[in-house]
Structure formats: C-alpha cells, structure tokens
PDB file of all heavy atoms in Angstrom:
ATOM      1  N   ASN A   1     -13.193   0.402 -10.238  1.00 91.00           N
ATOM      2  CA  ASN A   1     -14.360   0.995  -9.588  1.00 91.00           C
ATOM      3  C   ASN A   1     -14.253   2.520  -9.626  1.00 91.00           C
ATOM      4  O   ASN A   1     -13.167   3.088  -9.716  1.00 91.00           O
ATOM      5  CB  ASN A   1     -14.459   0.525  -8.142  1.00 91.00           C
ATOM      6  CG  ASN A   1     -14.739  -0.963  -8.037  1.00 91.00           C
ATOM      7  OD1 ASN A   1     -15.279  -1.567  -8.960  1.00 91.00           O
ATOM      8  ND2 ASN A   1     -14.370  -1.564  -6.905  1.00 91.00           N
ATOM      9  N   ASP A   2     -15.386   3.160  -9.541  1.00 88.00           N
ATOM     10  CA  ASP A   2     -15.418   4.645  -9.541  1.00 88.00           C
ATOM     11  C   ASP A   2     -15.009   5.195  -8.187  1.00 88.00           C
ATOM     12  O   ASP A   2     -15.132   4.519  -7.149  1.00 88.00           O
ATOM     13  CB  ASP A   2     -16.820   5.136  -9.903  1.00 88.00           C
ATOM     14  CG  ASP A   2     -17.245   4.726 -11.299  1.00 88.00           C
ATOM     15  OD1 ASP A   2     -16.342   4.598 -12.164  1.00 88.00           O
ATOM     16  OD2 ASP A   2     -18.447   4.504 -11.527  1.00 88.00           O
ATOM     17  N   HIS A   3     -14.518   6.427  -8.200  1.00 86.00           N
ATOM     18  CA  HIS A   3     -14.258   7.205  -6.993  1.00 86.00           C
ATOM     19  C   HIS A   3     -13.280   6.526  -6.019  1.00 86.00           C
ATOM     20  O   HIS A   3     -13.481   6.518  -4.805  1.00 86.00           O
ATOM     21  CB  HIS A   3     -15.571   7.509  -6.238  1.00 86.00           C
ATOM     22  CG  HIS A   3     -16.648   8.066  -7.119  1.00 86.00           C
ATOM     23  ND1 HIS A   3     -16.497   9.243  -7.814  1.00 86.00           N
ATOM     24  CD2 HIS A   3     -17.868   7.571  -7.451  1.00 86.00           C
ATOM     25  CE1 HIS A   3     -17.608   9.493  -8.516  1.00 86.00           C
ATOM     26  NE2 HIS A   3     -18.454   8.482  -8.319  1.00 86.00           N
ATOM     27  N   LEU A   4     -12.225   5.941  -6.546  1.00 89.00           N
ATOM     28  CA  LEU A   4     -11.206   5.375  -5.677  1.00 89.00           C
ATOM     29  C   LEU A   4     -10.381   6.485  -5.050  1.00 89.00           C
ATOM     30  O   LEU A   4     -10.015   7.471  -5.715  1.00 89.00           O
ATOM     31  CB  LEU A   4     -10.281   4.436  -6.466  1.00 89.00           C
ATOM     32  CG  LEU A   4     -10.913   3.150  -7.014  1.00 89.00           C
ATOM     33  CD1 LEU A   4      -9.868   2.335  -7.781  1.00 89.00           C
ATOM     34  CD2 LEU A   4     -11.511   2.324  -5.887  1.00 89.00           C
ATOM     35  N   PRO A   5     -10.033   6.366  -3.769  1.00 90.00           N
ATOM     36  CA  PRO A   5      -9.256   7.419  -3.108  1.00 90.00           C
ATOM     37  C   PRO A   5      -7.778   7.372  -3.539  1.00 90.00           C
ATOM     38  O   PRO A   5      -7.307   6.386  -4.109  1.00 90.00           O
ATOM     39  CB  PRO A   5      -9.386   7.069  -1.624  1.00 90.00           C
ATOM     40  CG  PRO A   5      -9.599   5.586  -1.629  1.00 90.00           C
ATOM     41  CD  PRO A   5     -10.391   5.267  -2.844  1.00 90.00           C
ATOM     42  N   ASN A   6      -7.079   8.468  -3.258  1.00 89.00           N
ATOM     43  CA  ASN A   6      -5.633   8.477  -3.503  1.00 89.00           C
ATOM     44  C   ASN A   6      -4.971   7.395  -2.646  1.00 89.00           C
ATOM     45  O   ASN A   6      -5.383   7.122  -1.520  1.00 89.00           O
ATOM     46  CB  ASN A   6      -5.040   9.836  -3.155  1.00 89.00           C
ATOM     47  CG  ASN A   6      -5.499  10.919  -4.132  1.00 89.00           C
ATOM     48  OD1 ASN A   6      -6.066  10.625  -5.178  1.00 89.00           O
ATOM     49  ND2 ASN A   6      -5.254  12.179  -3.766  1.00 89.00           N
ATOM     50  N   GLY A   7      -3.923   6.810  -3.209  1.00 90.00           N
ATOM     51  CA  GLY A   7      -3.231   5.762  -2.456  1.00 90.00           C
ATOM     52  C   GLY A   7      -2.413   4.866  -3.377  1.00 90.00           C
ATOM     53  O   GLY A   7      -2.294   5.124  -4.572  1.00 90.00           O
ATOM     54  N   THR A   8      -1.866   3.833  -2.799  1.00 90.00           N
ATOM     55  CA  THR A   8      -1.039   2.880  -3.536  1.00 90.00           C
ATOM     56  C   THR A   8      -1.869   1.650  -3.907  1.00 90.00           C
ATOM     57  O   THR A   8      -2.596   1.109  -3.059  1.00 90.00           O
ATOM     58  CB  THR A   8       0.172   2.451  -2.691  1.00 90.00           C
ATOM     59  OG1 THR A   8       0.947   3.603  -2.379  1.00 90.00           O
ATOM     60  CG2 THR A   8       1.059   1.472  -3.468  1.00 90.00           C
ATOM     61  N   TYR A   9      -1.748   1.225  -5.131  1.00 91.00           N
ATOM     62  CA  TYR A   9      -2.488   0.085  -5.636  1.00 91.00           C
ATOM     63  C   TYR A   9      -1.540  -0.888  -6.320  1.00 91.00           C
ATOM     64  O   TYR A   9      -0.403  -0.541  -6.657  1.00 91.00           O
ATOM     65  CB  TYR A   9      -3.577   0.541  -6.632  1.00 91.00           C
ATOM     66  CG  TYR A   9      -4.625   1.425  -5.998  1.00 91.00           C
ATOM     67  CD1 TYR A   9      -4.420   2.806  -5.878  1.00 91.00           C
ATOM     68  CD2 TYR A   9      -5.803   0.892  -5.499  1.00 91.00           C
ATOM     69  CE1 TYR A   9      -5.378   3.627  -5.285  1.00 91.00           C
ATOM     70  CE2 TYR A   9      -6.781   1.703  -4.918  1.00 91.00           C
ATOM     71  CZ  TYR A   9      -6.552   3.071  -4.811  1.00 91.00           C
ATOM     72  OH  TYR A   9      -7.492   3.857  -4.216  1.00 91.00           O
ATOM     73  N   ARG A  10      -2.036  -2.097  -6.536  1.00 91.00           N
ATOM     74  CA  ARG A  10      -1.213  -3.088  -7.254  1.00 91.00           C
ATOM     75  C   ARG A  10      -2.098  -3.886  -8.211  1.00 91.00           C
ATOM     76  O   ARG A  10      -3.229  -4.257  -7.873  1.00 91.00           O
ATOM     77  CB  ARG A  10      -0.486  -3.999  -6.280  1.00 91.00           C
ATOM     78  CG  ARG A  10      -1.357  -4.973  -5.519  1.00 91.00           C
ATOM     79  CD  ARG A  10      -0.529  -5.831  -4.541  1.00 91.00           C
ATOM     80  NE  ARG A  10      -1.296  -6.929  -3.973  1.00 91.00           N
ATOM     81  CZ  ARG A  10      -2.104  -6.803  -2.931  1.00 91.00           C
ATOM     82  NH1 ARG A  10      -2.235  -5.620  -2.335  1.00 91.00           N
ATOM     83  NH2 ARG A  10      -2.768  -7.854  -2.473  1.00 91.00           N
ATOM     84  N   ILE A  11      -1.546  -4.122  -9.405  1.00 91.00           N
ATOM     85  CA  ILE A  11      -2.208  -4.956 -10.409  1.00 91.00           C
ATOM     86  C   ILE A  11      -1.639  -6.364 -10.284  1.00 91.00           C
ATOM     87  O   ILE A  11      -0.430  -6.562 -10.436  1.00 91.00           O
ATOM     88  CB  ILE A  11      -1.965  -4.423 -11.826  1.00 91.00           C
ATOM     89  CG1 ILE A  11      -2.347  -2.947 -11.928  1.00 91.00           C
ATOM     90  CG2 ILE A  11      -2.739  -5.246 -12.861  1.00 91.00           C
ATOM     91  CD1 ILE A  11      -1.873  -2.282 -13.224  1.00 91.00           C
ATOM     92  N   GLN A  12      -2.479  -7.315 -10.028  1.00 91.00           N
ATOM     93  CA  GLN A  12      -2.054  -8.711  -9.909  1.00 91.00           C
ATOM     94  C   GLN A  12      -2.564  -9.454 -11.137  1.00 91.00           C
ATOM     95  O   GLN A  12      -3.777  -9.528 -11.363  1.00 91.00           O
ATOM     96  CB  GLN A  12      -2.610  -9.319  -8.615  1.00 91.00           C
ATOM     97  CG  GLN A  12      -2.040 -10.688  -8.288  1.00 91.00           C
ATOM     98  CD  GLN A  12      -2.378 -11.097  -6.862  1.00 91.00           C
ATOM     99  OE1 GLN A  12      -2.120 -10.361  -5.897  1.00 91.00           O
ATOM    100  NE2 GLN A  12      -2.991 -12.251  -6.717  1.00 91.00           N
ATOM    101  N   TRP A  13      -1.668 -10.010 -11.928  1.00 90.00           N
ATOM    102  CA  TRP A  13      -2.052 -10.601 -13.206  1.00 90.00           C
ATOM    103  C   TRP A  13      -1.480 -11.997 -13.382  1.00 90.00           C
ATOM    104  O   TRP A  13      -0.483 -12.372 -12.784  1.00 90.00           O
ATOM    105  CB  TRP A  13      -1.603  -9.712 -14.369  1.00 90.00           C
ATOM    106  CG  TRP A  13      -0.115  -9.449 -14.390  1.00 90.00           C
ATOM    107  CD1 TRP A  13       0.541  -8.432 -13.774  1.00 90.00           C
ATOM    108  CD2 TRP A  13       0.872 -10.252 -15.018  1.00 90.00           C
ATOM    109  NE1 TRP A  13       1.888  -8.530 -13.988  1.00 90.00           N
ATOM    110  CE2 TRP A  13       2.140  -9.642 -14.755  1.00 90.00           C
ATOM    111  CE3 TRP A  13       0.857 -11.415 -15.791  1.00 90.00           C
ATOM    112  CZ2 TRP A  13       3.336 -10.164 -15.221  1.00 90.00           C
ATOM    113  CZ3 TRP A  13       2.047 -11.945 -16.256  1.00 90.00           C
ATOM    114  CH2 TRP A  13       3.266 -11.309 -15.985  1.00 90.00           C
ATOM    115  N   ARG A  14      -2.144 -12.743 -14.241  1.00 89.00           N
ATOM    116  CA  ARG A  14      -1.680 -14.091 -14.608  1.00 89.00           C
ATOM    117  C   ARG A  14      -2.169 -14.404 -16.024  1.00 89.00           C
ATOM    118  O   ARG A  14      -3.354 -14.248 -16.327  1.00 89.00           O
ATOM    119  CB  ARG A  14      -2.198 -15.154 -13.659  1.00 89.00           C
ATOM    120  CG  ARG A  14      -1.645 -16.564 -13.935  1.00 89.00           C
ATOM    121  CD  ARG A  14      -2.308 -17.583 -13.025  1.00 89.00           C
ATOM    122  NE  ARG A  14      -1.646 -18.890 -13.058  1.00 89.00           N
ATOM    123  CZ  ARG A  14      -1.895 -19.835 -13.969  1.00 89.00           C
ATOM    124  NH1 ARG A  14      -2.807 -19.615 -14.913  1.00 89.00           N
ATOM    125  NH2 ARG A  14      -1.236 -20.996 -13.934  1.00 89.00           N
ATOM    126  N   VAL A  15      -1.258 -14.834 -16.894  1.00 89.00           N
ATOM    127  CA  VAL A  15      -1.632 -15.217 -18.257  1.00 89.00           C
ATOM    128  C   VAL A  15      -0.874 -16.494 -18.617  1.00 89.00           C
ATOM    129  O   VAL A  15       0.083 -16.888 -17.945  1.00 89.00           O
ATOM    130  CB  VAL A  15      -1.304 -14.112 -19.281  1.00 89.00           C
ATOM    131  CG1 VAL A  15      -2.059 -12.834 -18.975  1.00 89.00           C
ATOM    132  CG2 VAL A  15       0.198 -13.842 -19.341  1.00 89.00           C
ATOM    133  N   VAL A  16      -1.310 -17.123 -19.706  1.00 86.00           N
ATOM    134  CA  VAL A  16      -0.635 -18.320 -20.223  1.00 86.00           C
ATOM    135  C   VAL A  16      -0.067 -17.966 -21.588  1.00 86.00           C
ATOM    136  O   VAL A  16      -0.775 -17.498 -22.483  1.00 86.00           O
ATOM    137  CB  VAL A  16      -1.607 -19.500 -20.342  1.00 86.00           C
ATOM    138  CG1 VAL A  16      -0.876 -20.721 -20.919  1.00 86.00           C
ATOM    139  CG2 VAL A  16      -2.185 -19.848 -18.972  1.00 86.00           C
ATOM    140  N   SER A  17       1.239 -18.182 -21.753  1.00 80.00           N
ATOM    141  CA  SER A  17       1.913 -17.895 -23.012  1.00 80.00           C
ATOM    142  C   SER A  17       1.420 -18.831 -24.098  1.00 80.00           C
ATOM    143  O   SER A  17       0.758 -19.841 -23.839  1.00 80.00           O
ATOM    144  CB  SER A  17       3.417 -18.056 -22.860  1.00 80.00           C
ATOM    145  OG  SER A  17       3.917 -17.273 -21.804  1.00 80.00           O
ATOM    146  N   SER A  18       1.775 -18.508 -25.328  1.00 72.00           N
ATOM    147  CA  SER A  18       1.361 -19.345 -26.451  1.00 72.00           C
ATOM    148  C   SER A  18       1.914 -20.752 -26.362  1.00 72.00           C
ATOM    149  O   SER A  18       1.325 -21.698 -26.872  1.00 72.00           O
ATOM    150  CB  SER A  18       1.803 -18.706 -27.778  1.00 72.00           C
ATOM    151  OG  SER A  18       1.145 -17.479 -27.964  1.00 72.00           O
ATOM    152  N   ASP A  19       3.065 -20.893 -25.691  1.00 68.00           N
ATOM    153  CA  ASP A  19       3.665 -22.238 -25.572  1.00 68.00           C
ATOM    154  C   ASP A  19       3.133 -22.993 -24.372  1.00 68.00           C
ATOM    155  O   ASP A  19       3.598 -24.079 -24.067  1.00 68.00           O
ATOM    156  CB  ASP A  19       5.186 -22.144 -25.490  1.00 68.00           C
ATOM    157  CG  ASP A  19       5.667 -21.411 -24.256  1.00 68.00           C
ATOM    158  OD1 ASP A  19       4.816 -20.832 -23.548  1.00 68.00           O
ATOM    159  OD2 ASP A  19       6.875 -21.424 -23.985  1.00 68.00           O
ATOM    160  N   GLY A  20       2.135 -22.402 -23.676  1.00 74.00           N
ATOM    161  CA  GLY A  20       1.508 -23.100 -22.569  1.00 74.00           C
ATOM    162  C   GLY A  20       2.152 -22.868 -21.221  1.00 74.00           C
ATOM    163  O   GLY A  20       1.779 -23.515 -20.248  1.00 74.00           O
ATOM    164  N   HIS A  21       3.107 -21.935 -21.122  1.00 78.00           N
ATOM    165  CA  HIS A  21       3.740 -21.656 -19.832  1.00 78.00           C
ATOM    166  C   HIS A  21       3.072 -20.457 -19.162  1.00 78.00           C
ATOM    167  O   HIS A  21       2.982 -19.388 -19.774  1.00 78.00           O
ATOM    168  CB  HIS A  21       5.236 -21.369 -20.027  1.00 78.00           C
ATOM    169  CG  HIS A  21       6.004 -22.566 -20.479  1.00 78.00           C
ATOM    170  ND1 HIS A  21       6.393 -22.757 -21.775  1.00 78.00           N
ATOM    171  CD2 HIS A  21       6.443 -23.669 -19.794  1.00 78.00           C
ATOM    172  CE1 HIS A  21       7.045 -23.908 -21.885  1.00 78.00           C
ATOM    173  NE2 HIS A  21       7.084 -24.478 -20.700  1.00 78.00           N
ATOM    174  N   PRO A  22       2.609 -20.612 -17.934  1.00 83.00           N
ATOM    175  CA  PRO A  22       1.990 -19.490 -17.246  1.00 83.00           C
ATOM    176  C   PRO A  22       3.023 -18.475 -16.767  1.00 83.00           C
ATOM    177  O   PRO A  22       4.152 -18.829 -16.418  1.00 83.00           O
ATOM    178  CB  PRO A  22       1.297 -20.161 -16.034  1.00 83.00           C
ATOM    179  CG  PRO A  22       2.130 -21.394 -15.785  1.00 83.00           C
ATOM    180  CD  PRO A  22       2.616 -21.845 -17.136  1.00 83.00           C
ATOM    181  N   VAL A  23       2.641 -17.218 -16.800  1.00 83.00           N
ATOM    182  CA  VAL A  23       3.468 -16.127 -16.304  1.00 83.00           C
ATOM    183  C   VAL A  23       2.568 -15.267 -15.435  1.00 83.00           C
ATOM    184  O   VAL A  23       1.403 -15.020 -15.765  1.00 83.00           O
ATOM    185  CB  VAL A  23       4.036 -15.281 -17.462  1.00 83.00           C
ATOM    186  CG1 VAL A  23       5.035 -14.257 -16.926  1.00 83.00           C
ATOM    187  CG2 VAL A  23       4.681 -16.146 -18.517  1.00 83.00           C
ATOM    188  N   GLN A  24       3.092 -14.812 -14.308  1.00 83.00           N
ATOM    189  CA  GLN A  24       2.290 -14.008 -13.395  1.00 83.00           C
ATOM    190  C   GLN A  24       3.157 -12.964 -12.725  1.00 83.00           C
ATOM    191  O   GLN A  24       4.384 -13.071 -12.712  1.00 83.00           O
ATOM    192  CB  GLN A  24       1.618 -14.888 -12.348  1.00 83.00           C
ATOM    193  CG  GLN A  24       2.588 -15.697 -11.497  1.00 83.00           C
ATOM    194  CD  GLN A  24       1.870 -16.692 -10.605  1.00 83.00           C
ATOM    195  OE1 GLN A  24       0.661 -16.639 -10.428  1.00 83.00           O
ATOM    196  NE2 GLN A  24       2.622 -17.619 -10.027  1.00 83.00           N
ATOM    197  N   GLY A  25       2.514 -11.940 -12.182  1.00 84.00           N
ATOM    198  CA  GLY A  25       3.282 -10.906 -11.521  1.00 84.00           C
ATOM    199  C   GLY A  25       2.415  -9.825 -10.902  1.00 84.00           C
ATOM    200  O   GLY A  25       1.181  -9.904 -10.900  1.00 84.00           O
ATOM    201  N   VAL A  26       3.075  -8.817 -10.360  1.00 86.00           N
ATOM    202  CA  VAL A  26       2.408  -7.699  -9.692  1.00 86.00           C
ATOM    203  C   VAL A  26       3.035  -6.406 -10.187  1.00 86.00           C
ATOM    204  O   VAL A  26       4.260  -6.289 -10.293  1.00 86.00           O
ATOM    205  CB  VAL A  26       2.562  -7.794  -8.155  1.00 86.00           C
ATOM    206  CG1 VAL A  26       1.956  -6.583  -7.472  1.00 86.00           C
ATOM    207  CG2 VAL A  26       1.923  -9.080  -7.641  1.00 86.00           C
ATOM    208  N   ILE A  27       2.194  -5.428 -10.515  1.00 86.00           N
ATOM    209  CA  ILE A  27       2.657  -4.104 -10.955  1.00 86.00           C
ATOM    210  C   ILE A  27       2.061  -3.051 -10.014  1.00 86.00           C
ATOM    211  O   ILE A  27       0.849  -2.855  -9.970  1.00 86.00           O
ATOM    212  CB  ILE A  27       2.218  -3.797 -12.395  1.00 86.00           C
ATOM    213  CG1 ILE A  27       2.767  -4.863 -13.357  1.00 86.00           C
ATOM    214  CG2 ILE A  27       2.675  -2.410 -12.818  1.00 86.00           C
ATOM    215  CD1 ILE A  27       2.271  -4.711 -14.778  1.00 86.00           C
ATOM    216  N   PRO A  28       2.890  -2.369  -9.212  1.00 88.00           N
ATOM    217  CA  PRO A  28       2.387  -1.338  -8.310  1.00 88.00           C
ATOM    218  C   PRO A  28       2.255   0.013  -9.026  1.00 88.00           C
ATOM    219  O   PRO A  28       3.012   0.310  -9.962  1.00 88.00           O
ATOM    220  CB  PRO A  28       3.467  -1.266  -7.221  1.00 88.00           C
ATOM    221  CG  PRO A  28       4.724  -1.667  -7.946  1.00 88.00           C
ATOM    222  CD  PRO A  28       4.331  -2.631  -8.989  1.00 88.00           C
ATOM    223  N   PHE A  29       1.283   0.806  -8.599  1.00 88.00           N
ATOM    224  CA  PHE A  29       1.155   2.185  -9.082  1.00 88.00           C
ATOM    225  C   PHE A  29       0.476   3.013  -7.988  1.00 88.00           C
ATOM    226  O   PHE A  29       0.026   2.496  -6.972  1.00 88.00           O
ATOM    227  CB  PHE A  29       0.381   2.243 -10.393  1.00 88.00           C
ATOM    228  CG  PHE A  29      -1.089   1.913 -10.282  1.00 88.00           C
ATOM    229  CD1 PHE A  29      -2.046   2.915 -10.149  1.00 88.00           C
ATOM    230  CD2 PHE A  29      -1.513   0.588 -10.316  1.00 88.00           C
ATOM    231  CE1 PHE A  29      -3.393   2.613 -10.062  1.00 88.00           C
ATOM    232  CE2 PHE A  29      -2.877   0.273 -10.221  1.00 88.00           C
ATOM    233  CZ  PHE A  29      -3.798   1.286 -10.084  1.00 88.00           C
ATOM    234  N   GLN A  30       0.412   4.303  -8.221  1.00 90.00           N
ATOM    235  CA  GLN A  30      -0.099   5.198  -7.191  1.00 90.00           C
ATOM    236  C   GLN A  30      -1.022   6.228  -7.823  1.00 90.00           C
ATOM    237  O   GLN A  30      -0.792   6.691  -8.939  1.00 90.00           O
ATOM    238  CB  GLN A  30       1.060   5.915  -6.492  1.00 90.00           C
ATOM    239  CG  GLN A  30       0.646   6.785  -5.320  1.00 90.00           C
ATOM    240  CD  GLN A  30       1.859   7.270  -4.543  1.00 90.00           C
ATOM    241  OE1 GLN A  30       2.499   6.493  -3.853  1.00 90.00           O
ATOM    242  NE2 GLN A  30       2.172   8.536  -4.682  1.00 90.00           N
ATOM    243  N   ILE A  31      -2.072   6.583  -7.089  1.00 90.00           N
ATOM    244  CA  ILE A  31      -2.979   7.652  -7.492  1.00 90.00           C
ATOM    245  C   ILE A  31      -2.810   8.803  -6.507  1.00 90.00           C
ATOM    246  O   ILE A  31      -2.929   8.607  -5.299  1.00 90.00           O
ATOM    247  CB  ILE A  31      -4.447   7.168  -7.495  1.00 90.00           C
ATOM    248  CG1 ILE A  31      -4.619   6.004  -8.463  1.00 90.00           C
ATOM    249  CG2 ILE A  31      -5.367   8.322  -7.886  1.00 90.00           C
ATOM    250  CD1 ILE A  31      -6.030   5.425  -8.445  1.00 90.00           C
ATOM    251  N   GLY A  32      -2.516   9.984  -7.027  1.00 84.00           N
ATOM    252  CA  GLY A  32      -2.341  11.166  -6.175  1.00 84.00           C
ATOM    253  C   GLY A  32      -0.987  11.183  -5.526  1.00 84.00           C
ATOM    254  O   GLY A  32      -0.268  10.182  -5.450  1.00 84.00           O
ATOM    255  N   GLY A  33      -0.583  12.350  -5.026  1.00 68.00           N
ATOM    256  CA  GLY A  33       0.712  12.514  -4.370  1.00 68.00           C
ATOM    257  C   GLY A  33       0.621  12.208  -2.895  1.00 68.00           C
ATOM    258  O   GLY A  33      -0.100  12.872  -2.150  1.00 68.00           O
ATOM    259  N   LEU A  34       1.307  11.172  -2.465  1.00 55.00           N
ATOM    260  CA  LEU A  34       1.341  10.819  -1.058  1.00 55.00           C
ATOM    261  C   LEU A  34       2.762  10.810  -0.562  1.00 55.00           C
ATOM    262  O   LEU A  34       3.715  10.802  -1.332  1.00 55.00           O
ATOM    263  CB  LEU A  34       0.709   9.438  -0.829  1.00 55.00           C
ATOM    264  CG  LEU A  34      -0.791   9.287  -1.156  1.00 55.00           C
ATOM    265  CD1 LEU A  34      -1.198   7.836  -0.972  1.00 55.00           C
ATOM    266  CD2 LEU A  34      -1.621  10.190  -0.278  1.00 55.00           C
ATOM    267  N   GLU A  35       2.931  10.786   0.735  1.00 45.00           N
ATOM    268  CA  GLU A  35       4.271  10.714   1.302  1.00 45.00           C
ATOM    269  C   GLU A  35       4.938   9.396   0.936  1.00 45.00           C
ATOM    270  O   GLU A  35       6.147   9.312   0.752  1.00 45.00           O
ATOM    271  CB  GLU A  35       4.220  10.876   2.828  1.00 45.00           C
ATOM    272  CG  GLU A  35       3.761  12.255   3.260  1.00 45.00           C
ATOM    273  CD  GLU A  35       3.770  12.387   4.763  1.00 45.00           C
ATOM    274  OE1 GLU A  35       4.150  11.406   5.435  1.00 45.00           O
ATOM    275  OE2 GLU A  35       3.407  13.451   5.288  1.00 45.00           O
ATOM    276  N   SER A  36       4.125   8.354   0.842  1.00 51.00           N
ATOM    277  CA  SER A  36       4.668   7.028   0.497  1.00 51.00           C
ATOM    278  C   SER A  36       4.721   6.912  -1.012  1.00 51.00           C
ATOM    279  O   SER A  36       3.699   6.883  -1.667  1.00 51.00           O
ATOM    280  CB  SER A  36       3.785   5.930   1.094  1.00 51.00           C
ATOM    281  OG  SER A  36       4.230   4.668   0.661  1.00 51.00           O
ATOM    282  N   ASN A  37       5.915   6.900  -1.544  1.00 51.00           N
ATOM    283  CA  ASN A  37       6.108   6.749  -2.992  1.00 51.00           C
ATOM    284  C   ASN A  37       6.336   5.285  -3.316  1.00 51.00           C
ATOM    285  O   ASN A  37       7.126   4.618  -2.667  1.00 51.00           O
ATOM    286  CB  ASN A  37       7.341   7.568  -3.417  1.00 51.00           C
ATOM    287  CG  ASN A  37       7.452   7.660  -4.930  1.00 51.00           C
ATOM    288  OD1 ASN A  37       7.386   6.654  -5.622  1.00 51.00           O
ATOM    289  ND2 ASN A  37       7.625   8.869  -5.416  1.00 51.00           N
ATOM    290  N   PRO A  38       5.633   4.761  -4.321  1.00 49.00           N
ATOM    291  CA  PRO A  38       5.810   3.344  -4.640  1.00 49.00           C
ATOM    292  C   PRO A  38       7.235   2.983  -4.982  1.00 49.00           C
ATOM    293  O   PRO A  38       7.669   1.860  -4.813  1.00 49.00           O
ATOM    294  CB  PRO A  38       4.875   3.122  -5.834  1.00 49.00           C
ATOM    295  CG  PRO A  38       4.597   4.484  -6.379  1.00 49.00           C
ATOM    296  CD  PRO A  38       4.689   5.407  -5.229  1.00 49.00           C
ATOM    297  N   LYS A  39       8.016   3.918  -5.508  1.00 48.00           N
ATOM    298  CA  LYS A  39       9.410   3.621  -5.857  1.00 48.00           C
ATOM    299  C   LYS A  39      10.255   3.396  -4.619  1.00 48.00           C
ATOM    300  O   LYS A  39      11.241   2.678  -4.645  1.00 48.00           O
ATOM    301  CB  LYS A  39      10.019   4.764  -6.685  1.00 48.00           C
ATOM    302  CG  LYS A  39       9.463   4.837  -8.084  1.00 48.00           C
ATOM    303  CD  LYS A  39      10.224   5.877  -8.892  1.00 48.00           C
ATOM    304  CE  LYS A  39       9.711   5.935 -10.330  1.00 48.00           C
ATOM    305  NZ  LYS A  39      10.474   6.883 -11.152  1.00 48.00           N
ATOM    306  N   SER A  40       9.889   4.045  -3.528  1.00 45.00           N
ATOM    307  CA  SER A  40      10.685   3.901  -2.323  1.00 45.00           C
ATOM    308  C   SER A  40      10.152   2.824  -1.392  1.00 45.00           C
ATOM    309  O   SER A  40      10.735   2.534  -0.375  1.00 45.00           O
ATOM    310  CB  SER A  40      10.704   5.242  -1.569  1.00 45.00           C
ATOM    311  OG  SER A  40       9.389   5.613  -1.203  1.00 45.00           O
ATOM    312  N   SER A  41       9.029   2.218  -1.764  1.00 44.00           N
ATOM    313  CA  SER A  41       8.462   1.146  -0.939  1.00 44.00           C
ATOM    314  C   SER A  41       8.928  -0.197  -1.468  1.00 44.00           C
ATOM    315  O   SER A  41       9.737  -0.300  -2.366  1.00 44.00           O
ATOM    316  CB  SER A  41       6.931   1.220  -0.965  1.00 44.00           C
ATOM    317  OG  SER A  41       6.441   0.890  -2.249  1.00 44.00           O
ATOM    318  N   ASN A  42       8.369  -1.229  -0.880  1.00 44.00           N
ATOM    319  CA  ASN A  42       8.739  -2.584  -1.309  1.00 44.00           C
ATOM    320  C   ASN A  42       7.814  -3.116  -2.398  1.00 44.00           C
ATOM    321  O   ASN A  42       7.842  -4.276  -2.721  1.00 44.00           O
ATOM    322  CB  ASN A  42       8.723  -3.541  -0.117  1.00 44.00           C
ATOM    323  CG  ASN A  42       9.820  -3.234   0.869  1.00 44.00           C
ATOM    324  OD1 ASN A  42      10.904  -2.836   0.480  1.00 44.00           O
ATOM    325  ND2 ASN A  42       9.525  -3.429   2.150  1.00 44.00           N
ATOM    326  N   ASN A  43       6.969  -2.233  -2.968  1.00 44.00           N
ATOM    327  CA  ASN A  43       6.026  -2.668  -3.982  1.00 44.00           C
ATOM    328  C   ASN A  43       6.675  -2.713  -5.353  1.00 44.00           C
ATOM    329  O   ASN A  43       6.203  -2.125  -6.302  1.00 44.00           O
ATOM    330  CB  ASN A  43       4.806  -1.737  -4.013  1.00 44.00           C
ATOM    331  CG  ASN A  43       3.986  -1.822  -2.757  1.00 44.00           C
ATOM    332  OD1 ASN A  43       3.870  -2.904  -2.182  1.00 44.00           O
ATOM    333  ND2 ASN A  43       3.405  -0.722  -2.331  1.00 44.00           N
ATOM    334  N   ASN A  44       7.790  -3.364  -5.474  1.00 46.00           N
ATOM    335  CA  ASN A  44       8.444  -3.464  -6.762  1.00 46.00           C
ATOM    336  C   ASN A  44       7.710  -4.473  -7.641  1.00 46.00           C
ATOM    337  O   ASN A  44       7.085  -5.391  -7.158  1.00 46.00           O
ATOM    338  CB  ASN A  44       9.902  -3.917  -6.605  1.00 46.00           C
ATOM    339  CG  ASN A  44      10.703  -2.882  -5.851  1.00 46.00           C
ATOM    340  OD1 ASN A  44      10.529  -1.678  -6.066  1.00 46.00           O
ATOM    341  ND2 ASN A  44      11.585  -3.337  -4.979  1.00 46.00           N
TER     342      ASN A  44
END
C-alpha cells in the first residue's frame, strides 16, 4: 500500500516446492530509523 508509516513489518509467505512439500515462514524488515531495531527484537 502507498504511504506506509515508518515501523516494523513482516512478510508472511507460503509456497509449495516442486516435490509437493509446502514451505512457509516470516521475514521481518523495517522502514525508517526507529529505536526498536528488528535485529534486537524477536522478529527473527
């Protein structure tokens, strides 16, 4: 979406491999400099 504010976000994804096995996960990232750094949080 347009005009998202600075902050911490997470990408939640799910795909199916060629062999038919599903794989899923979460990737955190951050927009702008905040006191809360994603590396120091639990958003691994």
Side-chain angles (χ1 to χ4, degrees):
N1 294 336
D2 297 329
H3 311 299
L4 293 180
N6 292 347
T8 300
Y9 296 85
R10 69 181 190 277
I11 307 169
Q12 189 167 307
W13 57 270
R14 184 185 191 275
V15 299
V16 179
S17 306
S18 295
D19 64 351
H21 292 102
V23 187
Q24 59 188 347
V26 176
I27 301 175
F29 69 96
Q30 185 170 289
I31 300 176
L34 296 176
E35 293 182 1
S36 174
N37 190 310
K39 288 187 178 183
S40 61
S41 68
N42 292 325
N43 293 326
N44 295 321

